[in-house]
Amino acid sequence: MILKTIICIISFFIITYRIGLITAKITKKDRILEIFIFGLITLFALLQIILFPSIIFHIKFIIPYVIICVTVIILVVSSFVIVKQKEEKRIWNKVIKEVKKQKKEDVILNIIVITIIFIQAMVSSYLFRENADDSFYVSLATQSIDSDSLYMEDPSLGLKREYTLLSSFEQISAYELGIAMIAKTFSVPSASLFHSILPFIFIIFSYMAYYYLINIITKDKKYSKIFLLILSIIFLFTGFSSKFRTGCLLYKGWQGKCVFLNFGLTILWSLLLERNEDKNKRLLILIILNNIANVFLSSTAIFMVAFTYI
């Protein structure tokens, strides 16, 4: 199980990175942080676009599963063609140069921030086992695997139910079905994936999103790192309840609505702020992808994203 967990985490970051390189090529967002962030957003948007019709028409699980696997493989392989080796090398050389230019105090600050975030991700993955929502979310993902008719059973009771088009609000978001496909691909139980693997991944990505937002607001990396350090300490000491935003990150980092709150919505704010200063049309591509990705994470994103624009 440990080996499968490590393989799953590493594969997730590699796939996100390779897809992010393609997105970076199109949108000219080629900083390493942006590659990972918008790679994940592109992956989420892709899952929503492909899986949503599968849920609506209740087709067999294997059909969208094969389509997703083939599509992801094609994107990963094509990323080596679309993004030349020289371009990728230039991106990493830029990262190395920035690291070498850092002062001693900046290096120490980086180590402290990374250590705190890594500890939070590890502890959240290992210790926290809230199960109030397991009867629905985890069961929905588990029963979807190898299902002959997607979303046609009540996740809590296991009883057959008759669905009409969009008769249930959870049909709009494909998050649980997407996670079910990851679970099948790596032969990991859905509960273990939700509780032990996804928190580690999504806590790291959430802090990436916050750092991206802080950079846009402050325009100074040094202040951004200090602010991120303060934010990480706040999250560490104020996660006293799963009903608050802090607990949402540390206690329920595996739930789609929490990823939307900490990652998706934060990136949306960042893009809107950036769009306010820069009228580059490529930002519209990222905003559209982000909105689709947010719906993938949570059906309530349809309303919350609208209010964000207002």
Side-chain angles (χ1 to χ4, degrees):
M1 184 61 194
I2 295 176
L3 181 60
K4 287 183 180 180
T5 299
I6 294 172
I7 292 174
C8 182
I9 292 173
I10 293 175
S11 300
F12 193 93
F13 279 102
I14 291 175
I15 291 171
T16 302
Y17 169 72
R18 298 311 310 182
I19 294 176
L21 285 173
I22 299 176
T23 308
K25 179 78 172 182
I26 297 171
T27 62
K28 305 301 180 183
K29 290 282 189 180
D30 58 356
R31 299 182 67 85
I32 196 67
L33 181 68
E34 295 170 332
I35 289 173
F36 277 102
I37 287 175
F38 295 119
L40 183 60
I41 286 173
T42 304
L43 178 61
F44 284 165
L46 180 69
L47 288 170
Q48 178 65 18
I49 292 170
I50 295 175
L51 296 182
F52 180 65
S54 305
I55 295 173
I56 295 300
F57 297 106
H58 311 294
I59 64 177
K60 288 186 177 182
F61 173 85
I62 193 63
I63 296 174
Y65 177 72
V66 171
I67 295 173
I68 288 293
C69 288
V70 171
T71 303
V72 170
I73 291 171
I74 290 174
L75 286 174
V76 171
V77 173
S78 63
S79 69
F80 290 95
V81 178
I82 296 173
V83 181
K84 305 299 181 182
Q85 190 175 2
K86 289 182 179 180
E87 295 177 86
E88 191 174 351
K89 189 176 180 180
R90 177 181 57 80
I91 292 171
W92 284 104
N93 285 337
K94 191 175 180 180
V95 174
I96 294 171
K97 286 180 182 180
E98 288 180 358
V99 172
K100 288 182 177 180
K101 286 181 181 179
Q102 289 182 341
K103 297 179 181 179
K104 185 177 180 180
E105 54 268 27
D106 291 328
V107 175
I108 294 173
L109 182 61
N110 288 341
I111 294 173
I112 293 173
V113 173
I114 292 172
T115 301
I116 292 175
I117 294 173
F118 184 77
I119 289 173
Q120 287 185 14
M122 287 292 293
V123 171
S124 180
S125 297
Y126 183 72
L127 293 180
F128 298 146
R129 294 289 185 274
E130 284 211 348
N131 58 10
D133 292 318
D134 284 9
S135 61
F136 188 86
Y137 297 112
V138 179
S139 298
L140 184 59
T142 302
Q143 74 178 23
S144 295
I145 298 175
D146 296 327
S147 172
D148 290 331
S149 186
L150 289 170
Y151 286 40
M152 286 298 287
E153 291 183 9
D154 187 293
S156 302
L157 303 174
L159 300 176
K160 294 286 183 179
R161 55 183 180 181
E162 293 298 326
Y163 267 134
T164 56
L165 186 63
L166 295 177
S167 62
S168 181
F169 193 53
E170 73 265 10
Q171 284 183 286
I172 298 174
S173 170
Y175 177 73
E176 286 76 23
L177 181 55
I179 300 305
M181 294 189 171
I182 297 174
K184 181 175 177 60
T185 301
F186 294 97
S187 299
V188 177
S190 298
S192 298
L193 182 61
F194 273 117
H195 291 158
S196 300
I197 299 175
L198 294 184
F200 182 85
I201 295 172
F202 290 148
I203 286 174
I204 292 175
F205 270 103
S206 293
Y207 277 112
M208 285 185 185
Y210 284 121
Y211 183 66
Y212 185 70
L213 175 61
I214 295 165
N215 270 332
I216 291 175
I217 295 173
T218 63
K219 308 295 184 183
D220 191 317
K221 286 188 176 181
K222 184 176 181 179
Y223 291 118
S224 299
K225 292 172 184 176
I226 293 173
F227 192 89
L228 190 65
L229 174 61
I230 295 171
L231 182 64
S232 65
I233 294 173
I234 292 173
F235 276 128
L236 187 61
F237 285 97
T238 57
F240 54 86
S241 172
S242 62
K243 305 304 179 184
F244 292 91
R245 189 184 183 90
T246 50
C248 187
L249 177 64
L250 298 181
Y251 287 78
K252 292 187 176 183
W254 56 273
Q255 289 190 11
K257 57 179 174 285
C258 300
V259 183
F260 161 63
L261 182 63
N262 289 287
F263 178 78
L265 194 58
T266 303
I267 294 301
L268 178 59
W269 289 336
S270 304
L271 291 173
L272 292 179
L273 286 173
E274 199 170 355
R275 173 67 178 168
N276 189 50
E277 298 177 0
D278 184 2
K279 301 303 180 182
N280 191 334
K281 292 183 179 180
R282 288 190 175 93
L283 286 173
L284 293 176
I285 298 174
L286 294 175
I287 291 173
I288 292 170
L289 285 174
N290 181 256
N291 289 340
I292 298 173
N294 286 337
V295 175
F296 168 76
L297 293 170
S298 176
S299 303
T300 56
I302 295 174
F303 307 108
M304 294 187 69
V305 167
F307 280 113
T308 300
Y309 282 98
I310 294 173

